[in-house]
């Protein structure tokens, strides 16, 4: 456990220090590359993982199509919070002019880099000697604590919401990771969708209700991965032969 916690602390520190305030593709890719290099070094030096096994060990493998499809549906559901919020409150949420460009950065950093650390390293290592439920429960407090800087910099309301979302989404994102064949690509898609709030502009007077709506979405919508992956896994019935 000491080696695991040391490795987790190192990977999180690199992820946090290199994390861009504005996730442009360039800065996000640099953070992703540095985090991946740190995770690979930790896996080799602390856990004895052979270099040839690093892609599999860190979840950098091709995802199963059905899990990726379920992740795409859930990601679309997460994005629905923006038009719904405008419809229900009357506050206009507008896309930044560079939203399409920043979306690449959001996926590279909040999707791939963070999932590489959270699922590819933390959850996967804990899962090797634990059941799914026990591994999720063990990773929950770790992932919540990594959002402590949000609490310190933005105040208790946003900070506690961020820590709660990080803890609760551990369940569906870990499930997606496993359903995808121990691949971070499916959970990265949902994770990035949750963080697309960085692509929009919100009126100042709507900040609090928007934050609440965003938190509610992040807590509820990702849970849809459970029924969606069960439906996708059902075998198709062939036509009866007459």
């Amino acid at each position: 456990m000491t080696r695991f916690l040391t490795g987790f602390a190192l990977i999180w520190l690199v992820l946090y220090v290199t994390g861009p305030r504005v996730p442009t593709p360039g800065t996000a890719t640099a953070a992703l590359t540095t985090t991946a290099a740190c995770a690979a070094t930790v896996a080799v030096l602390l856990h004895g993982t052979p270099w040839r096994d690093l892609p599999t060990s860190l979840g950098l493998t091709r995802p199963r199509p059905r899990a990726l499809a379920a992740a795409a549906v859930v990601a679309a559901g997460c994005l629905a919070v923006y038009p719904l919020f405008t419809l229900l409150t009357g506050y206009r949420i507008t896309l930044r002019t560079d939203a399409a460009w920043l979306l690449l950065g959001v996926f590279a950093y909040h999707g791939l880099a963070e999932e590489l650390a959270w699922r590819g390293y933390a959850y996967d290592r804990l899962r090797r000697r634990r059941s799914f439920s026990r591994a999720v429960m063990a990773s929950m407090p770790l992932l919540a604590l990594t959002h402590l800087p949000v609490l310190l910099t933005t105040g208790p309301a946003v900070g506690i919401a961020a820590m709660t979302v990080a803890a609760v989404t551990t369940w569906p994102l870990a499930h997606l990771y496993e359903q995808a064949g121990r691949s971070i690509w499916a959970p990265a898609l949902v994770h990035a969708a949750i963080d697309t709030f960085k692509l929009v502009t919100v009126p100042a007077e709507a900040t609090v209700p928007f934050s609440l709506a965003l938190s509610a979405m992040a807590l509820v919508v990702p849970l849809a991965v459970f029924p969606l992956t069960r439906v996708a896994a059902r075998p198709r019935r062939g036509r009866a032969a007459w």
Side-chain angles (χ1 to χ4, degrees), residues 178-197:
E178 295 210 352
Q179 292 296 308
R182 289 179 60 198
S183 173
I184 67 170
W185 290 92
L189 193 60
V190 176
H191 195 149
I194 293 173
D195 283 292
T196 51
F197 65 89

Side-chain angles (χ1 to χ4, degrees), residues 143-154:
L143 304 194
L145 285 174
T146 60
H147 290 72
L148 188 59
V150 180
L151 176 67
L152 299 176
T153 56
T154 62

Side-chain angles (χ1 to χ4, degrees), residues 66-213:
R66 289 179 177 177
L68 197 61
V73 172
V74 173
C78 292
L79 298 179
V81 69
Y82 304 113
L84 284 175
F85 181 79
T86 297
L87 180 65
L88 295 175
T89 66
Y91 291 116
R92 187 179 179 186
I93 306 299
T94 56
L95 278 173
R96 291 175 48 138
T97 55
D98 56 351
W101 182 241
L102 288 182
L103 180 60
L104 298 175
V106 167
F107 182 71
Y109 182 74
H110 294 290
L112 293 176
E114 291 192 343
E115 283 303 310
L116 178 66
W118 304 161
R119 251 58 63 179
Y121 178 79
Y123 170 77
D124 189 80
R125 287 285 164 187
L126 292 169
R127 180 71 167 94
R128 296 183 186 193
R129 295 185 179 182
R130 294 170 176 83
S131 66
F132 171 77
S133 297
R134 288 181 179 274
V136 168
M137 293 300 292
S139 62
M140 268 188 176
L142 292 176
L143 304 194
L145 285 174
T146 60
H147 290 72
L148 188 59
V150 180
L151 176 67
L152 299 176
T153 56
T154 62
V158 176
I160 292 174
M163 295 176 74
T164 303
V165 168
V168 174
T169 54
T170 301
W171 284 97
L173 295 183
H175 177 73
L176 264 182
Y177 175 78
E178 295 210 352
Q179 292 296 308
R182 289 179 60 198
S183 173
I184 67 170
W185 290 92
L189 193 60
V190 176
H191 195 149
I194 293 173
D195 283 292
T196 51
F197 65 89
K198 296 193 174 183
L199 309 179
V200 302
T201 301
V202 182
E205 64 274 17
T207 300
V208 173
F210 179 72
S211 297
L212 293 174

